[in-house]
Amino acid sequence: MTNSFHATPYDVSAKGFYFSTYEQWVERAAKHRNDYGEPVEEYEIQFIDGDSYELFNAIGVNQANLERWFTEFEELEGEDRIKIIYLLDHAGYNLENALDNIDDVSLFEGSAKEYVYDFIDSTGLLDQIPEHLRFYFDFDAFTRDMLLSGDITEVTINNTNYVAWSI
């Protein structure tokens, strides 16, 4: 889906314009004039429609980083998009650090408790405990401890629950 944006001038004597590509932005901004014929220089960039709203907001797209949005971020899909949103909105990274650390994040789609069940099962952790004692393992407490210690983080991005952790 093509994203669409609006350049809203801070100059109250000018009307904004819509655009979908960086080339459209450059062309329209260069020709844009206010009601007095003077060039308009500063804009608020607004996301209007498309499938990249949360990524757009996490990055904090503005006039200064608009070209970077189009060249590096708009086409991100799948896990990479979710990872960038997680790093920027939930882990406190800035844009540079988020890009450098995108490969250090792992994602699990589901709740923290579902992740813990999967983790315990895939690692065989309970196999080391005698079978008659395995039923006493407290998955809720283990999940809570992993969340409180920061080993995992539970987030909702694009109305989907994820568990994220750094490797």
Side-chain angles (χ1 to χ4, degrees):
M1 170 179 241
T2 301
N3 295 314
S4 61
F5 310 93
H6 189 264
T8 305
Y10 289 114
D11 183 339
V12 295
S13 68
K15 294 179 181 168
F17 59 87
Y18 292 93
F19 62 98
S20 295
T21 66
Y22 186 70
E23 291 74 25
Q24 286 177 348
W25 154 259
V26 170
E27 178 185 325
R28 293 174 185 171
K31 296 177 184 177
H32 198 215
R33 301 284 185 254
N34 66 14
D35 292 343
Y36 306 104
E38 298 170 339
V40 178
E41 297 176 352
E42 295 179 349
Y43 300 89
E44 175 186 357
I45 307 301
Q46 299 174 340
F47 188 91
I48 300 301
D49 191 30
D51 61 357
S52 303
Y53 177 73
E54 284 199 59
L55 180 61
F56 183 88
N57 281 341
I59 291 171
V61 175
N62 58 53
Q63 197 171 337
N65 63 11
L66 185 61
E67 182 177 16
R68 193 165 185 198
W69 161 260
F70 282 107
T71 59
E72 295 179 41
F73 296 103
E74 186 181 35
E75 296 302 317
L76 279 179
E77 292 185 5
E79 278 198 0
D80 286 344
R81 179 183 288 196
I82 302 302
K83 287 178 181 181
I84 289 291
I85 295 169
Y86 164 73
L87 289 168
L88 293 171
D89 272 356
H90 302 281
Y93 284 76
N94 64 32
L95 202 49
E96 296 303 322
N97 291 342
L99 283 172
D100 292 340
N101 291 290
I102 194 169
D103 293 330
D104 296 338
V105 174
S106 292
L107 294 173
F108 174 86
E109 189 174 326
S111 70
K113 191 170 184 178
E114 292 168 331
Y115 167 75
V116 167
Y117 276 106
D118 188 64
F119 174 76
I120 297 291
D121 185 48
S122 66
T123 59
L125 188 64
L126 289 182
D127 294 341
Q128 300 171 18
I129 299 173
E131 192 171 336
H132 68 281
L133 296 177
R134 290 181 194 166
F135 300 105
Y136 293 101
F137 186 81
D138 190 345
F139 284 92
D140 291 331
F142 192 73
T143 302
R144 184 188 66 245
D145 289 348
M146 288 189 81
L147 286 166
L148 290 175
S149 68
D151 292 332
I152 60 173
T153 304
E154 194 170 26
V155 296
T156 301
I157 299 171
N158 294 330
N159 297 318
T160 304
N161 293 327
Y162 294 95
V163 175
W165 67 96
S166 295
I167 46 176

